[in-house]
Amino acid sequence: MSLIRVEIDGRLAILTMTNQPKRNALSEAMIEGVLAGLEQAQTAKVRCIILRAEPGAKIWSAGHDISELPQSHRDPLGWSDPLRVVIRAIEEFPAPIIALIEGGVWGGACEMALACDIIVATPDSTFAITPAKLGIPYNVTGLLTFMNAANLHTVKEMAFTARPLNAERALLVGLINHLQQPDDITAFCVAMARGIEQLAPLAIAVMKEELRVLASAHSITPRMFERVQGMRRKVYDSTDYEEGVNAFKEKRPPVFLGE
Ligand code: YXS
C-alpha cells in the first residue's frame, strides 16, 4: 500500500505523505510513492504540485529513514540513495512544486522541502538540519540545496547546532515564502496553484530549469571534489557515525568521541 495519497484535480496534483506512525520518515517505500506520484502528475500534464503531510500533522517528515542508513563504511548519501533521487526528481519536475508545511521538518526532509519551489508553512512548523546529531557527513549537492535556500550564516547555524528553526525565523531569513494559519493554508496553496495553472506552462518550465542550472553552477575542481569526498569517507567510516545511528535506534543520546 502506497505511503503517498495522490489526488489529481485538473492541472493540479496534491501529493500527501500518509505514514504518521513513522512520522513520514523518508524510507525507500515513501520515496517510491513520491516518485510514482510525480510520474502520475507528469503524465497528467499538471501545472502545479502541492507536496504535504496529512492536515494537522505534528511532523511533516522526520527525514531519511535512519533504519535504512548503511551501518558504516558506505556513503549514506550516495548518488543513488533514495533521498538523493527524490531531491533531483523534485528539482527537475517541469512545473512548480509547493511544499505545504505543517509540523516539524527534519534532516533530509528539510532538504526535500527546500528543494521545492515555493514553501508555505504554518506557525508551528520547524526546520532542522540534523547531520551533526547523527554523525552523518552530508553530501555536497545536499548542502548546496540549503545554501540556495538561505544565507550561509543561517545554514551554518542550522547545520552546526542541529536546532530546529521556528517558522517565524524561517520567514524572516527567507527560508519560506509564506506563513499561513492551519485553517487557511490549504486554500492559500490551492489558490496559488490555480493562479499558476492559468499561466504559460512552457515558459514556467524553462524558467524553473534555467534557475536550477544557475543555482547549481559552482566551480569545484575534480581535485577539490575528491578531497571533500575523502574527508566525508573518514566520517562515514568513523565510530561517531556508527554511534549516531545506533543511539537513535537504541533511543538514547549519542556520545561522540570525535573518532
Ligand atoms: O519506535 P517506533 O517503531 O514507534 O518508531 C518511532 C520512531 O523510531 C520512528 N521514526 C523514525 N524512523 C526512521 N527514521 C526516522 N528519521 C524516524 N523518525 C521517527 O517513528 C516512530 C515515532 O517516533 P517518535 O516516538 O520519536 O515520535 P515523536 O513524535 O515523539 O518525535 C518525532 C520526532 C521526529 C521529533 C522524532 O521521531 C525524531 O527526532 N526523529 C528523528 C529526526 C531526525 O533526526 N531525522 C534525521 C534523519 S537522518 C537524515 O534525514 C539525514 C541523513 S541527515 O541527518 O544527514 O540530515
Side-chain angles (χ1 to χ4, degrees):
M1 192 258 268
S2 175
L3 300 177
I4 285 278
R5 183 172 58 249
V6 181
E7 300 158 280
I8 295 187
D9 173 4
R11 298 290 192 188
L12 165 65
I14 300 179
L15 307 186
T16 304
M17 296 180 281
T18 59
N19 192 10
Q20 268 308 315
K22 286 289 184 186
R23 304 299 181 266
N24 287 336
L26 298 180
S27 59
E28 199 158 349
M30 174 65 86
I31 286 173
E32 270 166 20
V34 175
L35 294 173
L38 291 175
E39 213 171 302
Q40 232 181 295
Q42 189 153 1
T43 306
K45 296 191 182 330
V46 305
R47 295 182 179 178
C48 192
I49 291 182
I50 294 172
L51 176 62
R52 66 173 304 162
E54 286 159 309
K58 291 286 171 268
I59 302 293
W60 191 77
S61 170
H64 198 301
D65 187 323
I66 298 171
S67 67
E68 293 183 358
L69 286 169
Q71 199 51 36
S72 72
H73 306 303
R74 196 163 64 80
D75 189 339
L77 293 169
W79 178 262
S80 52
D81 176 83
L83 175 66
R84 304 307 335 147
V85 174
V86 77
I87 297 286
R88 292 195 296 270
I90 287 170
E91 291 175 334
E92 293 164 11
F93 189 82
I97 300 178
I98 299 171
L100 188 165
I101 309 287
E102 292 181 271
V105 187
W106 297 83
C110 194
E111 186 190 353
M112 185 169 83
L114 296 177
C116 293
D117 301 293
I118 299 165
I119 296 131
V120 184
T122 53
D124 73 332
S125 304
T126 60
F127 300 84
I129 299 177
T130 54
K133 257 178 61 179
L134 289 150
I136 290 172
Y138 219 73
N139 66 308
V140 175
T141 54
L143 290 176
L144 188 56
T145 306
F146 293 123
M147 280 176 68
N148 285 331
N151 70 63
L152 189 57
H153 285 141
T154 299
V155 173
K156 285 184 173 181
E157 178 183 338
M158 292 178 76
F160 301 160
T161 66
R163 274 208 313 257
L165 200 71
N166 66 37
E168 187 190 349
R169 186 136 178 74
L171 184 70
L172 190 68
V173 299
L175 199 79
I176 63 177
N177 298 70
H178 297 277
L179 263 187
Q180 284 290 314
Q181 292 303 324
D183 291 346
D184 307 329
I185 192 165
T186 299
F188 180 89
C189 290
V190 169
M192 185 183 281
R194 293 300 183 202
I196 292 170
E197 264 186 67
Q198 304 310 314
L199 302 173
L202 299 179
I204 290 174
V206 77
M207 285 192 285
K208 176 170 174 175
E209 180 57 8
E210 287 171 287
L211 288 167
R212 183 189 70 80
V213 169
L214 288 167
S216 63
H218 286 255
S219 58
I220 176 168
T221 64
R223 181 189 176 95
M224 289 157 79
F225 180 72
E226 285 178 4
R227 175 174 166 269
V228 164
Q229 285 297 90
M231 292 167 71
R232 293 187 61 245
R233 179 169 194 158
K234 284 200 175 75
V235 178
Y236 62 71
D237 279 355
S238 69
T239 47
D240 271 4
Y241 171 80
E242 282 186 69
E243 166 63 8
V245 174
N246 290 338
F248 178 81
K249 289 175 182 172
E250 295 158 17
K251 299 187 186 290
R252 61 172 174 79
V255 176
F256 293 122
L257 302 176
E259 55 194 40

